[in-house]
Each structure stands twice: as C-alpha cells, then as structure tokens.
Amino acid sequence: MTNYQNQVAQALLDIEAVKLQPQDPFTWASGIKSPIYTDNRKIISFPKERGIVIAGLIDLIKAQYPDVQAIGGVATAGIPHAAWVAQAMNLPLIYVRAKPKDHGTGKQIEGALSAQQKVVLIDDLISTGGSVLGAVKATRAEAGNVIGVVSIFSYELPAAVKNFAAAQTSFASLTNFSSLIQVAQHAGKITPAELQMIQEWHQTLA
C-alpha cells in the first residue's frame, strides 16, 4: 500500500479543508477551543485532491479489509466518498442515516444489505468516534457484519481508541493529526513555535 499520510495531509491543507489557527482558536460544537478545524466536505469540489483521497481509501481498504463485500457511507460527509469507492471497487453501496427516518418504513440504512455481509464504513474524520460508531451499531442491528471503519483524517485522540475498542471495531485513517501538523510546519504554514502550541493543545486532550 502506498503511504498516503503526507500526500493527503498536503491536499487537505492546499484546499483549506483543514485550517490551523493557534493564535485564534476555533470553537468546536462541543465547546472545545481548538487551533485546528477540519471540514473535509470541501474535498468533493476539488477533482485532483478528491482523486488522491479516493485512491488512498481504496488502497487502505484493500490492505486492511481485503474480504470486504460492501461499502457503507456515514451520513452525511462519508456518503460521496463511499459512493466513489464502491463504484471503483465494483461493490454494493449502502449509507447509514444519523437516525431512523420518522416516516415510511423508518429505515436508518439505505440500500440493500444482506445478512452478515462484510461491510467497511467510510467517514470523513474521526475525533472520538461517537458518530461513526453509532453507524456501526445501526448496521450491526440490521445483521450487517461491520469489519472495519476507514476515514480520511483522524485527530488521534485516546478517546477514539478507547471507544472503538469498547465497540470491538477496528479503524484506520488515511492521514492524521501528527502527519498534518508536520506537513504544515514543513510547508511554512505554521512556525516552530506554533507547532509546539498545537502539540501542547493536543496533549491536553489525552
């Protein structure tokens, strides 16, 4: 498998899907003040970078989960990437809603999912893993066999490792926090002092 960590990190920085502002932190939905903000939804608008990400996801899935039988997208950000990957790998596609529909059949999973079908779920990023593990639970409740989760980016938080272990689910990411900030510093997007500030912030979340 090609090592996509630095290549994908550079692509995310190039299209500003990831922004670094250690001097003027962002506020996450959780209320956490963070020097980094990730919006991987932007990838869908950039064909070159999108191609890098999709090729990386395919290589990652083939390396980590070679017996995959279906690709699943986690609503909403994981769906377009899952669709492109499923098409390229000639595999069935499903997607998992954040919650069941409140009308009709009340389905949470769209598409055709066979019992014990081996599914790899795709999401755009992993912080603590809460949302994607909800999708894992929903898929397993419908008798799908989730063999793993892949994402474009991971914040490398210990909470994610703990939560995935508790859910007995493996996961892998194309790139991560450590690779991204090193690439950013090498590219001159942050100073060595800012790099240290960001690393120290990350350690407070451990």
Side-chain angles (χ1 to χ4, degrees):
M1 175 187 160
T2 303
N3 186 342
Y4 282 88
Q5 284 189 343
N6 290 352
Q7 190 180 10
V8 172
Q10 186 65 61
L12 298 182
L13 289 165
D14 287 345
I15 64 173
E16 296 188 336
V18 175
K19 293 184 178 181
L20 297 167
Q21 293 182 188
Q23 308 289 356
D24 184 20
F26 302 95
T27 302
W28 285 355
S30 61
I32 292 175
K33 295 290 185 180
S34 168
I36 179 172
Y37 181 73
T38 306
D39 180 11
N40 284 337
R41 290 171 175 83
K42 292 187 72 172
I43 298 167
I44 64 176
S45 297
F46 296 86
K48 176 185 174 183
E49 288 76 13
R50 185 176 73 204
I52 292 169
V53 167
I54 298 309
L57 289 171
I58 291 169
D59 274 9
L60 184 60
I61 291 168
K62 286 181 176 179
Q64 298 290 327
Y65 310 108
D67 54 345
V68 60
Q69 296 173 324
I71 301 296
V74 179
T76 56
I79 294 175
H81 303 290
W84 286 313
V85 168
Q87 181 67 20
M89 297 183 71
N90 195 31
L91 290 173
L93 171 72
I94 62 169
Y95 73 83
V96 189
R97 296 174 178 271
K99 58 183 180 180
K101 290 193 292 187
D102 58 6
H103 59 280
T105 58
K107 291 195 300 184
Q108 188 168 358
I109 296 176
E110 300 292 354
L113 176 65
S114 303
Q116 294 308 306
Q117 195 167 26
K118 295 177 180 178
V119 179
V120 170
L121 292 180
I122 295 177
D123 206 354
D124 68 325
L125 66 87
I126 292 174
S127 52
T128 62
S131 60
V132 71
L133 286 173
V136 169
K137 183 177 180 181
T139 306
R140 288 174 174 165
E142 294 295 324
N145 178 12
V146 179
I147 59 174
V149 168
V150 297
S151 69
I152 299 167
F153 179 78
S154 168
Y155 278 105
E156 294 183 293
L157 299 182
V161 176
K162 179 180 178 182
N163 291 337
F164 273 90
Q168 297 183 317
T169 304
S170 70
F171 70 101
S173 297
L174 276 183
T175 194
N176 53 42
F177 174 85
S178 299
S179 295
L180 188 128
I181 60 172
Q182 293 295 340
V183 169
Q185 198 267 329
H186 182 73
K189 293 183 180 292
I190 53 174
T191 67
E194 288 174 327
L195 174 65
Q196 184 175 351
M197 288 174 61
I198 295 170
Q199 289 173 324
E200 289 174 353
W201 165 83
H202 192 257
Q203 289 170 3
T204 66
L205 301 180

